[in-house]
Amino acid sequence: MRALGLDLGERRVGVAVCDSAGRVATPVETLVRSGDPERDLRAFADRVTEWQAEIVVVGLPISLDGTEGPAALGARAEIDRLERLLAVPVVSYDERLTTVIAERSLMEQQMKGPERRGVVDQVAAAVMLQSWLDAGMPRG
């Protein structure tokens, strides 16, 4: 099953996909927010079509203590809008520490700061999507 992973941020959104067997997540691109929420949703829908995704997995920024703060509430609102727009299922998945893991991975590859900023969101999306795949693709 081909899944598309989204790591929602205020300025940028990381995009990742998995192979059709649902085994390996790969970073794809970083979308820069346009300032128009409807336009951004259409951009996500275009990626679903482009990658022939059968499900969209959106990172939910849960706090380290397990609570949902303002960022998680904003993500849930965007997930709701995506669910109404897309013809495929949309699920949320805990994205705690994915950006930290992505940053460390890129630093280990000795990638410079400006270069890292350009790809960290898509790598974080791939980390989150891979975690979802490894957890057995939970739907709830």
Side-chain angles (χ1 to χ4, degrees), residues 23-102:
R23 294 193 183 156
V24 179
T26 305
V28 174
E29 68 179 313
T30 301
L31 299 173
V32 176
R33 295 260 191 199
S34 69
D36 176 357
E38 294 306 313
R39 186 174 175 188
D40 293 343
L41 288 174
R42 286 192 303 274
F44 305 153
D46 290 345
R47 287 353 180 250
V48 170
T49 302
E50 176 184 347
W51 290 99
Q52 299 176 340
E54 299 167 66
I55 190 167
V56 176
V57 183
V58 181
L60 188 62
I62 298 172
S63 300
L64 290 177
D65 66 4
T67 61
E68 291 188 19
L73 296 176
R76 285 203 183 277
E78 196 157 16
I79 289 166
D80 289 343
R81 291 191 301 274
L82 268 173
E83 286 177 326
R84 288 192 297 273
L85 176 67
L86 300 175
V88 299
V90 178
V91 298
S92 62
Y93 193 71
D94 186 353
E95 69 166 32
R96 274 182 274 195
L97 300 177
T98 57
T99 301
V100 172
I101 294 166

